[in-house]
């Protein structure tokens, strides 16, 4: 059985087999999700936010993921390396840290009265 996974804000989507991790699905869709631990729930870099969360769309968080994310699970955050696709799902990728820093710097410059 296959389900659609959509990655925002990239707007990329693909159909994947039930049980595939979000990280593997992202790689197949050519969507970059950073990771240092090789997908072992060790680095927290692959956090994604589940948009329009539906019961049973992803596997339930287990031990390592629960310990790493803690209360963030209640905010629909998941580790892409641990969350398995069990139904159609839409996930939001976090902003790249370098791009975020550049965006913040540009916003500060625009708000600066000296310019």
């Amino acid at each position: 059985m296959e389900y659609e996974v959509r990655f925002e804000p990239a707007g990329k989507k693909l159909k994947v087999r039930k049980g595939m991790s979000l990280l593997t699905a992202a790689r197949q869709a050519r969507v970059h999700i950073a990771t240092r631990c090789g997908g072992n729930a060790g680095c927290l870099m692959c956090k994604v936010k589940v948009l329009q969360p539906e019961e049973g769309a992803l596997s339930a968080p287990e031990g390592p993921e629960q310990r790493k994310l803690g209360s963030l699970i209640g905010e629909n955050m998941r580790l892409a390396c641990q969350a398995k696709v069990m139904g159609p799902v839409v996930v939001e990728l976090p902003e790249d840290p370098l791009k975020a820093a550049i965006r913040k710097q540009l916003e500060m410059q625009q708000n600066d009265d000296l310019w």
Side-chain angles (χ1 to χ4, degrees), residues 47-53 69-78 92:
K47 285 186 298 202
V48 295
K49 182 174 182 104
V50 180
L51 301 177
Q52 306 164 355
L69 289 177
S71 65
L72 290 176
I73 291 174
E75 297 173 25
N76 298 320
M77 298 297 286
R78 296 294 304 268
E92 181 179 52

Side-chain angles (χ1 to χ4, degrees), residues 8 25 27 29 44 55 63 68 75 78 83-84 89 104 114:
E8 296 297 346
R27 287 176 177 161
L44 288 175
E55 186 79 27
K68 291 287 183 179
E75 297 173 25
R78 296 294 304 268
K84 307 282 190 261
V89 66
K104 287 178 184 175
L114 296 176

Side-chain angles (χ1 to χ4, degrees), residues 1 3 11 14 18 27 31 33 39-40 43 45 47 54 58 64-65 71 77-78 80 82 85 90 92-93 95:
M1 186 163 275
Y3 297 104
L14 77 157
K18 181 179 179 178
R27 287 176 177 161
V31 173
I33 297 179
N40 295 311
C43 68
M45 291 183 71
K47 285 186 298 202
E54 291 186 28
L58 294 174
E65 185 178 19
S71 65
M77 298 297 286
R78 296 294 304 268
Q82 300 297 301
V85 176
V90 179
E92 181 179 52
L93 305 171
E95 187 175 21

Side-chain angles (χ1 to χ4, degrees), residues 78-109:
R78 296 294 304 268
L79 294 180
C81 68
Q82 300 297 301
K84 307 282 190 261
V85 176
M86 305 304 275
V89 66
V90 179
V91 295
E92 181 179 52
L93 305 171
E95 187 175 21
D96 178 83
L98 179 58
K99 287 181 182 178
I102 292 170
R103 181 183 49 75
K104 287 178 184 175
Q105 187 67 34
L106 290 172
E107 286 173 359
M108 287 174 34
Q109 286 178 357

